[in-house]
Amino acid sequence: VQLQASGGGLVQAGGSLRLSCAASGRTFSSYNMGWFRQAPGKEREFVACIRWSGGSTYYADSVKGRFTISRDNAKNTVYLQMNSLKPEDTAVYYCAADRNRVVLSLAVDDYDYWGQGTQVTVSS
């Protein structure tokens, strides 16, 4: 599967952005999906994930209550709605797909396919 992330940009603190990740292929609905981010000089970190069915979601503590992950399997797309953005949310955001449907993973190494990333910059 090929993933294409979009929707990043420059926003002031307190603002909102909605990221999208469009997937190619007919098997999107069988993958668990995740969003990760990587700030300069830091390791890639987990942000949020959603089960293939949309029935379960998990969030990093740093974004819980501010970010919402969702998916539309009919459109082969996963979203990340980001509200109340903070300067520390500045990073390149990546979407990823995991073929393992049984376990909804938070680990970077468990994901099999990655998008190219989209830059989110939050100014103070």
Side-chain angles (χ1 to χ4, degrees), residues 50-111:
I50 187 168
R51 191 170 292 278
W52 61 272
S53 63
S56 299
T57 57
Y58 289 112
Y59 297 91
D61 288 343
S62 59
V63 307
K64 200 172 295 182
R66 300 188 297 121
F67 291 10
T68 302
I69 188 171
S70 62
R71 66 189 297 161
D72 186 337
N73 285 343
K75 295 183 178 180
N76 281 10
T77 303
V78 62
Y79 305 97
L80 186 68
Q81 178 67 44
M82 305 186 296
N83 299 329
S84 302
L85 282 161
K86 305 175 180 180
E88 50 264 43
D89 294 318
T90 296
V92 177
Y93 283 70
Y94 298 89
C95 59
D98 183 2
R99 292 175 296 182
N100 185 342
R101 295 175 55 166
V102 177
V103 177
L104 186 54
S105 176
L106 284 61
V108 171
D109 291 345
D110 286 344
Y111 283 76

